[in-house]
Amino acid sequence: MRTSARRRGVAAAAAVAVSAIGLTACSGGGGGGSAAEATCTNEIKQPDAAQVTVWAWYPAFESVVDNFNETHTDLQVCWTNAGQGADEYNKFQTAIEAGTGAPDVIMLEAEVLPTFTILESLVDLSEYGAGELEGDYTPGSWSDVSNGDAVYAIPVDGGPMGMLYRADIFEEYGVEVPTTWDEFATAAQDLRDAGFEGHITDFPTNGNALNYALFAQNGWEPFQYDAAKPTEVGITVDSPEAEEVLSYWKGLVDDDLVATEDAFTTDYNAALVDGTYAVYLAAAWGPGYLQGLSEADADAEWRAAPLPQWDPENPVQVNWGGSTFAVTAQSEQPEAAATVAKELFDTDEAWRLGVEEAALWPQWKPMLESDWFTGLEAPFFGGQKINEEVFLDAANGYEGFSFSPFQVYAYDQQTQALYDMVQNGTDAATALGTVQDGLVRYATEQGFTVSE
């Protein structure tokens, strides 16, 4: 496929965006036709079978790989953990620039798929039958991996959002658990007035995908991007919907009713479980994350509830995170790689491992809708069936989201603008306008045709 000069220009822009998070050396395990040279973390069960190299960072993934290799006689997975998130993406970027060193199959979060499709570094899996699988996955997750008839990855896990809360704190201070954002703000004030010394929750300025989800719940659609027209992008970050949501959180910040700790720091993790926050706005993987934190309040009584709504008569479900398996353009065995991408997580046995050992939330409907999964009781939440009562509706209601082909840069711009808003007192409209202007300028400089 011939690449136009203009497409090469915008592809270079995407490469810069990935590189901005710090290139590191590839640690090996790459495929790109060199599977025989790869070093596998796992045991190969069928040495004479073809091997497909896979990069992935799922917890407890080796047991899933073993399950695949024990049930396939003609294909074997050779797995390497090349790092989590940005660490893996930077190694993939290095391999793309070098023209060699990428694996056959790579785990990618759905939000970075446009960043790599614009580089022509992923295989369209529709020619290997992926399109026939659409009905096996939730509508939103399928929307996130497809573009028209093209399918750039197979969904694996997701992050439909809900609200985890300390039932003991709400009960102690006599405050009702909120179901709308208006009630949430009232509950924040009521907790404070009743003597609660913590905050109802945290609004992290580095909350990237979390903050995107909160905006999206109010109808925010910041990017219009079609992989079939890679040099064009629409940018409408500073919409009235976003300004309404950000003004809401700015008001809670100004009244000191929510904290502004950066997410995923040591202090943030401690505050999640020591009673500083009454609510953790979380994805479906949040319960697993919460239970993995140390120094938790032994008397805490956690429960789960649906995410508060702006309009309870018209609830909107949103998603935070989620991953996929894509086949890289460097693979010399794309059909075999597509089979691995499709079949690693397409059995009950594989998904029981994913749920029980890695706390993954399945996008594969046969597991998502199974009696076993929906009926699971969560001891950490007092035996509550949190899948059935909270996250299943959120997963099925999520309709998908369009990210930009320079998502890392977009996140960086948002983080800086929200930090300035919180620390220097700028208003929501100014913060969003700064992001809008910065992204339009950046995209234009890199050769995109930008519409606003």
Side-chain angles (χ1 to χ4, degrees), residues 348-399:
D348 286 351
E349 186 173 4
W351 263 114
R352 286 194 181 226
L353 294 169
V355 171
E356 293 181 331
E357 297 186 14
L360 300 181
W361 177 269
Q363 299 285 23
W364 189 60
K365 289 169 66 175
M367 171 53 68
L368 188 68
E369 298 172 352
S370 69
D371 291 341
W372 176 78
F373 184 73
T374 58
L376 281 177
E377 297 180 354
F380 189 80
F381 292 87
Q384 184 181 6
K385 296 179 180 180
I386 61 174
N387 295 341
E388 181 179 50
E389 296 178 20
V390 177
F391 294 110
L392 188 58
D393 283 347
N396 287 325
Y398 171 62
E399 297 179 351

Side-chain angles (χ1 to χ4, degrees), residues 20 22 27 33 62-63 169 188 197 217 224 227 247 258 283 306 336-337 382 448 452:
S27 63
E62 187 166 2
S63 59
I169 291 176
E197 296 181 351
Q217 193 191 24
Q224 298 78 48
S247 295
V258 299
F448 288 95
E452 298 185 67

Side-chain angles (χ1 to χ4, degrees), residues 399-413:
E399 297 179 351
F401 187 84
S402 292
F403 290 94
S404 77
F406 37 81
Q407 194 54 45
V408 173
Y409 185 83
Y411 277 155
D412 287 346
Q413 295 299 297

Side-chain angles (χ1 to χ4, degrees), residues 29 35 38-42 44 51-55 65 69 76-80:
T39 300
C40 311
T41 301
N42 57 290
I44 298 298
Q51 293 184 23
V52 171
T53 53
V54 176
W55 284 0
V65 171
N69 286 346
Q76 296 284 282
V77 168
C78 173
W79 165 56
T80 297

Side-chain angles (χ1 to χ4, degrees), residues 90-146:
N90 287 327
K91 290 172 183 173
F92 186 30
Q93 177 68 43
T94 300
I96 293 168
E97 293 174 354
T100 185
D104 296 304
V105 176
I106 187 167
M107 172 184 174
L108 296 173
E109 292 165 292
E111 66 187 28
V112 301
L113 287 175
T115 298
F116 290 108
T117 58
I118 197 173
L119 296 172
E120 298 181 307
S121 57
L122 303 180
V123 172
D124 177 1
L125 299 177
S126 62
E127 60 183 295
Y128 300 107
E132 300 171 8
L133 303 178
E134 179 176 357
D136 290 343
Y137 293 91
T138 56
S141 71
W142 194 260
S143 175
D144 287 346
V145 301
S146 58

Side-chain angles (χ1 to χ4, degrees), residues 146-215:
S146 58
N147 188 85
D149 292 332
V151 181
Y152 292 107
I154 302 298
V156 178
D157 70 314
M161 286 195 66
M163 182 179 75
L164 311 183
Y165 66 95
R166 288 281 301 268
D168 53 319
I169 291 176
F170 278 90
E171 182 177 355
E172 178 181 352
Y173 293 98
V175 176
E176 292 292 321
V177 176
T179 62
T180 68
W181 288 115
D182 284 343
E183 292 177 2
F184 189 88
T186 300
Q189 186 64 62
D190 288 347
L191 283 168
R192 176 60 48 79
D193 293 344
F196 179 53
E197 296 181 351
H199 294 92
I200 191 169
T201 195
D202 186 57
F203 180 69
T205 57
N206 71 339
N208 295 341
L210 164 63
N211 294 331
Y212 265 47
L214 294 176
F215 296 154

